[in-house]
Amino acid sequence: MRRMASTFRRTRFILALVVLAAFSPAGVLTQAPAPRAASITSPDKFFGFQMGADRKMARWDKLVDYYNLLARESPKIKVVNMGPTTMGNPFLMCVISSPDNLAKLEQIRLNNLKLADPRGIAEADIRKIVAEGKAIVVQSMSMHATEIGGSQMAPELIFDLLSRTDEEAQRILDATIAIMVPSFNPDGQIMVTDWYNKTVGTQYEGASYPSLYQKYVGHDNNRDAFMTNMAEAQYMARILFRDWIPEAYVDHHHMGSFNARISLPPYAEPVRPSADPLLWRELSWYGAHMAYKESEQALTGAITMAIYSGWGHMGFHWITPFHNIAGMLTESASARLASPLYIPPDQLKGGPRNLPEYAEQTTFPDPWPGGWWRLRDIVERQKVAAWATLDLAARNRETVLMNMYLKAKRQTERGAAAETKAYVVSASQFDPLTAGKMINKLLVQGIEIQQAKTPFVLTTGASYPAGSFVISMAQPKMGVVRWMLGETFYPDNSYTRDKDNAPIRPYDMATDTMTEFMGVRSDPIGEAVKADLVKLAAPLERAGMVSKGAAGYTLDGRLNDSFTAVNLLLEKGVAVRRVDHASGFVPGDFLVAAGPESAIAGIAKQTGVDFKPLAAAVSQATHEVKPRRTAIYQRYNGGNSDEGWTEFTLEQFHFPFTPLMDAELKAGNLNAKYDAIILPSDSIATLTGERPAAGGGRGGGEGAGATLPPPEYRSGFGTEGVNALRAFVEQGGTLVTFGGAGALPIERFGIPVRNVLAGKTSKEFWCPGSTLHARFDITNPLAYGMPPQGLVTFLADSQAYETIPTDHSERIETIATYPDREILRSGWLLGAENLAKRAAALSVRVGKGRVVLIGFRAQHRAQTHGTYKVVFNALLEGPEASPARATTDQGKRP
Ligand SMILES: [Zn+2]
């Protein structure tokens, strides 16, 4: 029965296609071709091919030329260059509306900001703004550069907006400000276009891009929305969170090839709470209109409320709901970049989250039947979704504007009435400079922050020094405040368990708590703070103070930025020593006997670190800090974003490093060039090349069926590389492994350590993207400057260790340990007993060198500032550094 029904459907579909082909080359029966202004150059004419045509990709430089041409040809578009991308390409924002609206754009923008934060504005004024205002809709394209549909769709969408003269197009121009970011990742757009053009017509055509498609972070660029480390994220944060606060935002992506053709809003369960209910209703509303328009135009395979859960990472489309913006994504099925992909019907499958079978359902009434799938199909579906978003906002302009006001007003009231009324970030912090960075990152989100001019005391008796920060929940963005600063527990319920009761992996992290990641204390308080508070108007800036003592200077080893200062001093040839144990110092404090005073003043100003007076030379244990040569293993197979983030983090703190690839690694003799080698988190199989990584690419084939890249872009260092790394360690090198990469020295070097989580099922142990309590041995140089008790960020592939008894267990030094109970701080943890009292990080001496296994993610996405020092110490402290426990010659300091 089922099979017959499906055959019938397919026949009916093919008939429909024949009818469409006969009557309408554009594939649209329901409306006549739109009338157009002739004076605007079409993309077809400009690029010489139809957008999305087989094996054709418009490159970013040409796209920029096209948008600039449109700006010369049409009074309905302004092209704004937001500034250079990470690699120096222009990052564009195209503002499209009627010439009248563009003439008074600044007034429209300022009025919209009043809806987004209506505190202190009279209701009559609000009603006037709603009556006269314009709905602002931001859409961004192809942030994941291999998901090229968006960057190829945008020229047609913008051309349609500028050239169509029909009533619907006119209404959109009159009623909305359509802001397009035609490429969210121009650097990646260029990388992928050049890659594709190089492989097209060869046996490698359509192979996944082999490296990270953003200088540092590749696919992780969407995980950067709340920390805004990258230039592109900073531009988008400015557009979305501060300058415009649009009524709606759509980010256009691609997904895998064998499911629905396009996934549309709303999100599936579970949703992250604390957004205004109207927000979730709006997502359903926009999504229904997009999906309706797809079906109206006979574009099959659109699904709503599936595949992507409402509780995701705090990427742009997932954090915007907490800014009261209807934040959405579209996800189109991928072809093989611009090459068509043939998909037989039996390869089309359902998947998790509301599409259990590949068959008709309410939210998926017209399944695509299979066949050739092309970039053009993606362009068409995306364009319909993008246009439908504008159409809905235009037809419901006043409702959409009123919604923004209602959401902002009600969230503010909700925050004022909540149990937690504010978070206080005390001026007294373990690392106050890092706390300052957190405050600045909250300002990037457009969060309102107040600073106390004088000390204050709460009714609970808790007291805070002058300079402390108060972040009230009684503000429109209370949802952002809550998720950045508040303890977070991922739901564990029937939405997050499969039918066998096994946990379903969250889309990304189970928590994104900025304050925990950064090691900054922020206290939830249950009362409105009464103190002399001043609203922060600009980012914090702090110049360090310099005061020379008779024996030079001392730097606080607990400050992350002290490491920047030390690296800058070492660059200038200034000698730096480090305190092991001496009265009046914390182990790890830095000592500078002398140095050029102008350079020291410059470094203090640049880093914010105080150079405090050292009255007398320290006679107790100290050791010299030497410049060390670091290499970071870099691979193909789509690149490893953990590697890119590591490079970015080290650059921020002026640690020099060299990328190390297979050929150099396999050649050996690594000690001649390097003192430390980092293996970013990866599986053994990927590191050695026994099994390639899935990669960040979007293309049809999976596993063995995927098109391989040319041989020079394949990776894996094999047994030769393992042997070279082992020789490096035995001859005095330091090998530092992050997360999953710890398996390599454990399994291939045979060090006396076991990963206690290896082989555990998800029901036995489960900890996807969470923060955990850990204790640090701050007398060990590898944990110098850490708090005795802190938080670490644990990912699904992270490790925890137990040691195996040998005759030389003195070679093992535990750096960090999980407590015996109450391990979870935020996120999701099942089987906590597996972690109890286990090592979170340790060092094992092998020959003259050592392996430092950091089982958690100490530098995760350049977000976990709270544990950066564990990485910094591993690079700065050579194997000769040793805790007091070591009594052999090996342990003595030079
Ligand atoms: Zn994507």
Side-chain angles (χ1 to χ4, degrees):
M1 265 315 281
R2 196 189 164 83
R3 194 190 166 104
M4 280 177 65
S6 139
T7 309
F8 172 69
R9 275 205 306 277
R10 208 167 303 133
T11 312
R12 195 174 54 183
F13 175 80
I14 290 162
L15 279 174
L17 273 189
V18 170
V19 171
L20 283 178
F23 287 92
S24 161
V28 179
L29 282 175
T30 49
Q31 66 187 56
R36 287 186 191 276
S39 56
I40 313 289
T41 304
S42 72
D44 294 22
K45 188 170 169 216
F46 183 84
F47 294 99
F49 55 86
Q50 187 186 40
M51 294 288 96
D54 285 358
R55 299 183 177 81
K56 298 285 186 191
M57 236 188 249
R59 194 178 188 268
W60 182 239
D61 51 344
K62 283 277 180 289
L63 290 162
V64 172
D65 289 348
Y66 181 61
Y67 297 124
N68 285 329
L69 172 67
L70 293 183
R72 291 193 296 274
E73 290 181 343
S74 170
K76 302 173 188 169
I77 179 171
K78 283 186 177 173
V79 176
V80 181
N81 183 352
M82 299 289 291
T85 62
T86 303
M87 294 174 77
N89 291 297
F91 188 97
L92 298 191
M93 171 178 78
C94 300
V95 184
I96 298 141
S97 195
S98 70
D100 275 2
N101 289 342
L102 290 183
K104 53 185 181 189
L105 192 61
E106 184 61 4
Q107 195 53 48
I108 293 171
R109 184 181 77 82
L110 293 173
N111 280 342
N112 190 67
L113 291 180
K114 289 180 186 167
L115 299 181
D117 188 355
R119 288 176 294 172
I121 297 171
E123 273 203 41
D125 292 339
I126 295 292
R127 276 195 293 274
K128 191 163 181 285
I129 292 170
V130 168
E132 295 170 0
K134 307 297 167 191
I136 295 162
V137 177
V138 176
Q139 307 202 52
S140 52
M141 316 301 170
S142 299
M143 68 151 34
H144 297 144
T146 52
E147 303 169 12
I148 55 169
S151 72
Q152 307 301 300
M153 174 273 280
E156 259 188 35
L157 175 66
I158 294 175
F159 172 67
D160 282 358
L161 284 166
L162 301 183
S163 65
R164 273 176 56 172
T165 54
D166 55 292
E167 187 194 352
E168 187 170 285
Q170 206 51 56
R171 181 168 45 236
I172 290 173
L173 292 176
D174 288 342
T176 76
I177 306 293
I179 297 179
M180 305 287 170
V181 174
S183 169
F184 196 128
N185 178 5
D187 301 345
Q189 210 282 338
I190 291 169
M191 292 176 198
V192 170
T193 306
D194 290 348
W195 167 257
Y196 180 73
N197 287 337
K198 190 171 146 179
T199 58
V200 80
T202 73
Q203 61 177 304
Y204 307 114
E205 177 178 321
S208 289
Y209 184 68
S211 300
L212 296 172
Y213 45 70
Q214 194 269 2
K215 183 181 177 191
Y216 299 104
V217 307
H219 201 79
D220 262 5
N221 53 5
N222 200 22
R223 279 71 176 162
D224 192 32
F226 68 102
M227 295 290 269
T228 52
N229 282 306
M230 297 296 127
E232 299 81 27
Q234 288 159 17
Y235 297 138
M236 276 310 283
R238 208 177 108 193
I239 295 169
L240 290 170
F241 305 147
R242 301 199 307 279
D243 284 1
W244 291 95
I245 315 188
E247 275 62 48
Y249 168 59
V250 189
D251 199 20
H252 295 282
H253 289 253
H254 289 201
M255 56 184 180
S257 304
F258 304 100
N259 199 292
R261 295 300 90 192
I262 186 167
S263 174
L264 299 170
Y267 303 107
E269 314 311 329
V271 301
R272 196 192 277 256
S274 294
D276 188 89
L278 276 179
L279 185 285
W280 299 112
R281 299 297 185 193
E282 286 185 303
L283 302 192
S284 297
W285 192 33
Y286 281 105
H289 195 59
M290 292 180 203
Y292 172 81
K293 287 289 176 186
E294 302 281 359
S295 294
E296 186 186 73
Q297 304 215 19
L299 294 167
T300 57
I303 192 167
T304 58
M305 204 170 74
I307 308 172
Y308 296 89
S309 59
W311 189 310
H313 53 71
M314 280 299 198
F316 283 92
H317 63 92
W318 265 317
I319 197 171
T320 33
F322 303 96
H323 288 269
N324 302 319
I325 299 163
M328 300 173 274
L329 84 168
T330 74
E331 292 271 359
S332 300
S334 300
R336 298 187 305 135
L337 296 173
S339 298
L341 173 69
Y342 187 77
I343 303 178
D346 72 315
Q347 290 181 6
L348 290 163
K349 298 273 169 14
R353 299 191 182 103
N354 296 354
L355 186 62
E357 303 287 337
Y358 189 85
E360 284 103 326
Q361 60 182 40
T362 311
T363 55
F364 188 52
D366 42 8
W368 180 70
W372 282 104
W373 182 246
R374 303 185 134 84
L375 179 56
R376 180 66 204 171
D377 297 317
I378 298 166
V379 165
E380 286 178 359
R381 280 167 179 78
Q382 276 195 7
K383 195 172 83 167
V384 166
W387 186 276
T389 307
L390 291 165
D391 184 47
L392 182 130
R395 288 175 192 273
N396 302 279
R397 183 186 60 82
E398 290 199 29
T399 307
V400 162
L401 292 174
M402 182 54 88
N403 279 350
M404 175 54 91
Y405 162 70
L406 290 174
K407 287 179 288 187
K409 177 170 175 283
R410 290 173 183 173
Q411 286 290 82
T412 305
E413 290 164 359
R414 218 169 261 129
E419 197 177 326
T420 295
K421 303 216 180 301
Y423 290 87
V424 177
V425 176
S426 175
S428 166
Q429 293 279 344
F430 186 81
D431 178 351
L433 295 179
T434 298
K437 290 178 188 174
M438 187 183 87
I439 292 297
N440 287 346
K441 285 180 184 297
L442 291 170
L443 289 177
V444 170
Q445 297 287 322
I447 302 295
E448 183 179 282
I449 300 171
Q450 294 171 302
Q451 191 172 23
K453 303 283 274 182
T454 52
F456 62 93
V457 182
L458 302 180
T459 56
T460 56
S463 65
Y464 292 92
S468 295
F469 302 96
V470 179
I471 301 129
S472 171
M473 286 286 276
Q475 60 176 307
K477 299 186 181 201
M478 62 80 96
V480 182
V481 177
R482 184 259 168 274
W483 293 116
M484 293 297 102
L485 301 181
E487 208 170 48
T488 300
F489 296 106
Y490 191 81
D492 183 354
N493 57 32
S494 52
Y495 287 125
T496 59
R497 297 272 188 159
D498 67 16
K499 58 184 188 297
D500 300 321
N501 205 37
I504 299 169
R505 192 166 175 166
Y507 190 79
D508 191 75
M509 302 287 283
T511 190
D512 279 314
T513 21
M514 182 190 273
T515 188
E516 296 172 6
F517 288 180
M518 295 187 78
V520 177
R521 207 187 87 220
S522 60
D523 303 334
I525 60 166
E527 60 188 277
V529 175
K530 290 187 181 65
D532 186 5
L533 300 174
V534 179
K535 186 174 156 182
L536 267 189
L540 301 171
E541 277 182 54
R542 184 183 192 282
M545 285 175 295
V546 180
S547 175
K548 194 173 183 184
Y553 313 92
T554 169
L555 308 183
D556 188 339
R558 295 170 299 184
L559 305 175
N560 284 352
D561 290 323
S562 287
F563 288 81
T564 310
V566 165
N567 285 327
L568 291 170
L569 290 166
L570 293 177
E571 265 175 36
K572 293 184 189 306
V574 177
V576 180
R577 297 190 71 79
R578 210 167 182 198
V579 174
D580 293 302
H581 45 88
S583 58
F585 293 92
V586 174
D589 281 351
F590 298 98
L591 307 175
V592 182
E597 287 188 9
S598 66
I600 285 177
I603 292 170
K605 184 167 188 292
Q606 181 183 342
T607 60
V609 173
D610 291 335
F611 282 65
K612 292 179 180 164
L614 181 63
V618 180
S619 58
Q620 288 144 297
T622 66
H623 66 277
E624 189 189 349
V625 178
K626 293 179 193 158
R628 303 183 71 83
R629 304 161 302 168
T630 296
I632 303 177
Y633 176 63
Q634 196 179 80
R635 65 158 163 90
Y636 289 117
N637 278 323
N640 180 349
S641 55
D642 193 42
E643 168 238 315
W645 282 119
T646 305
E647 295 185 357
F648 175 78
T649 306
L650 294 185
E651 279 181 14
Q652 297 297 299
F653 292 87
H654 289 258
F655 277 91
F657 63 86
T658 311
L660 171 62
M661 297 200 74
D662 288 334
E664 187 188 349
L665 196 162
K666 288 197 282 192
N669 194 23
L670 297 165
N671 303 75
K673 289 180 276 185
Y674 307 115
D675 300 300
I677 296 175
I678 294 175
L679 290 184
S681 190
D682 237 336
S683 69
I684 290 188
T686 304
L687 289 167
T688 58
E690 290 154 19
R691 192 184 65 236
R698 290 273 185 249
E702 288 174 346
T707 305
L708 285 174
E712 64 270 30
Y713 294 103
R714 297 176 200 167
S715 49
F717 50 66
T719 310
E720 267 175 286
V722 172
N723 292 340
L725 286 172
R726 190 184 177 128
F728 169 73
V729 174
E730 284 172 347
Q731 290 160 32
T734 298
L735 179 67
V736 186
T737 64
F738 296 160
L744 187 119
I746 291 175
E747 292 181 27
R748 301 292 158 95
F749 296 3
I751 57 173
V753 170
R754 200 172 73 83
N755 169 21
V756 296
L757 306 175
K760 297 280 179 207
T761 66
S762 61
K763 286 187 191 175
E764 292 168 328
F765 180 79
W766 185 246
C767 188
S770 304
T771 51
L772 306 179
H773 293 279
R775 299 187 179 122
F776 293 90
D777 177 3
I778 60 168
T779 66
N780 189 305
L782 294 171
Y784 277 178
M786 288 297 293
Q789 314 227 4
L791 294 170
V792 302
T793 300
F794 195 98
L795 266 65
D797 68 345
S798 291
Q799 303 186 334
Y801 308 107
E802 69 175 358
T803 62
I804 296 166
T806 68
D807 287 350
H808 287 288
S809 290
E810 77 277 6
R811 291 175 183 160
I812 300 174
E813 301 165 24
T814 300
I815 306 162
T817 311
Y818 293 108
D820 58 353
R821 62 185 62 199
E822 291 178 6
I823 297 171
L824 180 69
R825 173 63 179 267
S826 281
W828 193 9
L829 173 60
L830 304 174
E833 64 280 4
N834 290 287
L835 293 177
K837 297 195 256 188
R838 299 304 187 194
L842 49 72
S843 155
V844 183
R845 283 165 197 283
V846 178
K848 292 187 213 159
R850 69 170 162 195
V851 179
V852 179
L853 296 117
I854 304 173
F856 53 93
R857 293 290 194 88
Q859 48 26 294
H860 184 55
R861 293 175 178 162
Q863 298 174 348
T864 54
H865 294 239
T867 47
Y868 282 178
K869 284 182 290 263
V870 176
V871 178
F872 296 167
N873 287 330
L875 301 182
L876 218 51
E877 301 292 337
E880 68 275 11
S882 171
R885 174 155 63 87
T887 53
T888 60
D889 287 349
Q890 215 179 25
K892 278 189 190 156
R893 293 191 179 286

